[in-house]
Amino acid sequence: MTKFQEPVTFKDVAVVFTEEELGLLDPAQRQLYRDVTLENFRNLLSVGNQPFKPDLIFQLEREEKLLMMETETQRDGCSGENCPTVTQHP
């Protein structure tokens, strides 16, 4: 007998931290959390099991972009008043 299972969704595999819990993570742990969460979401998208983008993904993608901008700024040797300002919004 064949049983049909519901498709796996992001909600099924996501680990969601409170703001307080996120505050306890060091930068490397925060980056690992962001990378793994985004990878899980993208994997679900690739198999068609995620019809919408959760708020958590928007937040993590925003963080990822800010981190990339900060890294590029540091790599380019930008310092002081010559650097563009990166502002993080909640």
Side-chain angles (χ1 to χ4, degrees):
M1 181 169 131
T2 303
K3 288 187 177 182
F4 293 98
Q5 295 179 341
E6 293 289 320
V8 176
T9 66
F10 181 71
K11 187 176 179 180
D12 296 328
V13 299
V15 175
V16 180
F17 291 117
T18 64
E19 285 299 318
E20 181 182 352
E21 292 168 328
L22 284 172
L24 297 174
L25 299 177
D26 66 38
Q29 291 170 322
R30 178 79 180 216
Q31 184 170 354
L32 177 63
Y33 170 70
R34 181 176 45 252
D35 292 346
V36 169
T37 303
L38 290 172
E39 181 179 2
N40 286 342
F41 177 75
R42 291 170 183 149
N43 287 338
L44 288 169
L45 277 180
S46 73
V47 295
N49 285 355
Q50 188 59 42
F52 64 93
K53 188 182 283 193
D55 290 340
L56 174 61
I57 296 301
F58 283 113
Q59 176 185 346
L60 294 175
E61 287 176 336
R62 208 171 26 248
E63 283 182 19
E64 187 177 49
K65 286 179 186 174
L66 287 171
L67 183 62
M68 288 183 350
M69 288 174 60
E70 289 172 3
T71 301
E72 286 176 10
T73 300
Q74 290 171 358
R75 186 184 61 228
D76 293 342
C78 191
S79 62
E81 296 176 6
N82 297 329
C83 296
T85 309
V86 178
T87 306
Q88 185 173 0
H89 299 282

